[in-house]
């Protein structure tokens, strides 16, 4: 028997759930409320800035760490929204999207045999990246709201027990995909105290930083004193400016951590698209009104989908941030979330994502009672999705 062509590090990785359900949605003419990308474009002035940069000759390699104009804009943005002082020359690296930034950070900071703490459910690339470097994830489950907790929460004792002598990194996603949780300052301080005690670095994925709904407020983990010197902040322009196809991301970190990430980045992509970097600098300098309006528009979309889910018989808690809703499907008569989501897309005409894929094998059952819906869609698409949900669930039973 011939040896498999697959390397061991990818042998267990199949097609992502996003690709699978987007293909099913297309095949069945379903409203795609699964994959989390907007079906509308970002600001015209930002798109025009990219066109202008191309016409003016910004078409060759940018510096590996990122165009100086964009690094400066990233530093200005950090000061404007978080009061954070960032040196654009020693603390910033621009990457090809946040996904590359996450990989670069893990490549630069984690060795084979190290342990990494991961809250679950988790964005699927985290664990794949840990497999690439031969690290071991230690999972801490987020629990759904209950009589004692208004939002998703974690058990402090479970978190503390996850730390050990081989713990190198903790991955923290806030606002959180897929639960919509926004970690509070108190929670971040608790995490920071543990990381400080154990000498652990934090990788903070903050791509939904501007999609937060009052009274929740996004606290940048690196602005918490215990985390300030040990956090790599990851963000991108795709979610905030509805231009996910541009793939412009970045990290902010203290110089020694930034150096570790930059060493990996220079051999992963080396540099990122020059004209889109120029346009992202324009985007980050947009007036405060843009960012306020963004949250207001997403709040209206959230309320539309929340109402539709509840009227269809799928209870759901309002997310504090991001553009995802986890709806309760536990009373729909299906053995798990994957079975429900396949029936919903093929017979109900609406695509959602089964969130059990965002859990470890040990805790996969925690996702079986939910389905993830995205509301980063136009009002017409959301209204049609809501209509199909109201009329279609009866077809599934």
């Amino acid at each position: 028997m011939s040896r498999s062509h697959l390397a061991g590090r990818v042998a267990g990785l199949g097609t992502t759930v996003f690709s699978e359900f987007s293909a099913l949605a297309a095949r069945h003419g379903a409203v795609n409320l699964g994959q989390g990308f907007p079906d509308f474009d970002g600001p015209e002035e930002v798109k025009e800035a990219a066109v202008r940069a191309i016409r003016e000759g910004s078409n060759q390699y940018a510096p590996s760490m990122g165009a100086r104009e964009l690094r400066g804009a990233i530093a200005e943005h950090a000061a404007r929204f978080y009061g954070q002082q960032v040196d654009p020359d020693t603390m910033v690296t621009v990457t090809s999207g946040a996904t590359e930034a996450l990989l670069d950070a893990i490549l630069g900071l984690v060795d084979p045999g190290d342990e990494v703490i991961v809250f679950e459910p988790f964005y699927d690339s985290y664990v794949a990246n840990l497999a690439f470097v031969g690290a071991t994830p230690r999972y801490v489950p987020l629990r759904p709201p209950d009589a004692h907790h208004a939002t998703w929460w974690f058990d402090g004792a479970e978190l503390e027990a996850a730390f050990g002598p081989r713990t190198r990194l903790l991955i923290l996603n806030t606002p959180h995909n897929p639960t919509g949780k926004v970690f509070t300052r108190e929670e971040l301080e608790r995490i920071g105290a543990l990381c400080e005690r154990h000498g652990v670095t934090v990788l903070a994925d903050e791509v939904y930083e501007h999609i937060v709904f009052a009274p929740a407020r996004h606290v940048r983990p690196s602005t918490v004193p215990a985390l300030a010197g040990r956090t790599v902040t990851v963000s991108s322009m795709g979610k905030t400016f509805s231009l996910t196809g541009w793939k412009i991301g970045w990290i902010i970190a203290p110089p020694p951590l930034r150096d570790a990430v930059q060493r990996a980045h220079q051999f992963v992509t080396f540099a990122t698209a020059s004209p889109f970097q120029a346009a992202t600098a324009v985007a980050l300098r947009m007036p405060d009104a843009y960012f306020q309006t963004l949250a207001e528009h997403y709040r209206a979309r959230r309320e539309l989908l929340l109402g539709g889910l509840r009227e269809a018989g799928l209870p759901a808690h309002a997310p504090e941030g991001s553009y995802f809703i986890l709806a309760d499907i536990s009373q729909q008569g299906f053995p798990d979330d994957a079975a429900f989501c396949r029936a919903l897309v093929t017979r109900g005409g609406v695509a959602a994502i089964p969130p059990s894929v965002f859990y470890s094998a040990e805790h996969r059952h925690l996702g079986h009672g939910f389905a993830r819906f995205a509301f980063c869609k136009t009002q017409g698409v959301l209204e049609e999705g809501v209509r199909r949900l109201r009329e279609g669930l009866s077809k599934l039973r």
Side-chain angles (χ1 to χ4, degrees), residues 93-381:
T93 287
V94 177
T95 60
S96 295
T99 303
E100 190 221 326
L102 293 164
L103 174 62
D104 293 343
I106 290 169
L107 287 171
L109 296 169
V110 179
D111 282 323
D114 285 343
E115 295 183 356
V116 176
I117 295 172
V118 182
F119 288 99
E120 57 181 346
F122 47 77
Y123 181 60
D124 59 350
S125 81
Y126 300 164
V127 174
N129 290 349
L130 296 180
F132 292 163
V133 301
T136 300
R138 295 296 181 207
Y139 299 105
V140 177
L142 294 174
R143 310 288 183 178
D146 57 27
H148 305 289
H149 302 89
T151 185
W152 289 73
W153 58 283
F154 62 88
D155 184 293
E158 287 182 331
L159 175 61
E160 188 165 359
F163 284 84
R166 297 168 69 183
T167 307
R168 176 68 68 90
L169 189 71
L170 180 147
I171 301 177
L172 178 64
N173 176 206
T174 183
H176 186 264
N177 170 18
T179 68
K181 174 181 175 58
V182 176
F183 282 73
T184 65
R185 178 171 289 277
E186 181 182 17
E187 289 172 325
L188 296 176
E189 288 172 346
R190 186 169 194 172
I191 292 167
L194 288 167
C195 290
E196 192 171 45
R197 185 190 313 167
H198 293 274
V200 170
T201 300
V202 169
L203 179 56
D205 177 355
E206 301 177 37
V207 296
Y208 298 100
E209 61 185 301
H210 287 292
I211 306 175
V212 178
F213 311 109
R217 185 174 70 87
H218 175 56
V219 177
R220 174 161 281 185
S222 58
T223 64
V224 173
L227 294 173
R230 62 180 66 253
T231 298
V232 176
T233 299
V234 172
S235 197
S236 75
M237 69 93 66
K239 306 299 192 296
T240 299
F241 299 100
S242 303
L243 294 163
T244 59
W246 286 17
K247 298 297 292 179
I248 300 294
W250 55 85
I251 67 102
I252 299 172
L257 296 177
R258 183 281 192 128
D259 178 62
V261 179
Q262 174 63 31
R263 287 178 185 228
H265 164 69
Q266 67 184 339
F267 293 110
V268 174
T269 62
F270 178 72
T272 297
S274 296
F276 294 150
Q277 289 197 51
T280 299
V282 171
L284 288 174
R285 290 175 171 134
M286 291 186 71
D288 290 354
Y290 171 80
F291 300 91
Q292 294 163 359
T293 301
L294 177 77
E296 291 166 4
H297 286 173
Y298 271 119
R299 178 185 285 275
R301 293 182 172 98
R302 181 189 70 163
E303 296 309 306
L304 173 57
L305 183 54
L306 266 177
L309 289 167
R310 290 166 176 169
E311 289 175 25
L314 300 178
H317 290 276
E320 299 174 299
S322 83
Y323 44 53
F324 301 109
I325 296 172
L326 283 184
D328 185 341
I329 62 164
S330 59
Q331 303 305 309
Q332 298 303 309
F334 287 84
D336 57 35
D337 54 329
F340 172 84
C341 288
R342 288 194 178 94
L344 183 65
V345 70
T346 57
R347 305 207 304 271
V350 177
I353 295 294
S356 61
V357 299
F358 306 135
Y359 285 89
S360 62
E362 178 185 359
H363 296 131
R364 191 151 292 154
H365 64 282
L366 296 177
H368 285 168
F370 296 95
R372 192 195 79 171
F373 295 83
F375 54 90
C376 50
K377 310 298 175 184
T378 58
Q379 181 171 339
V381 169

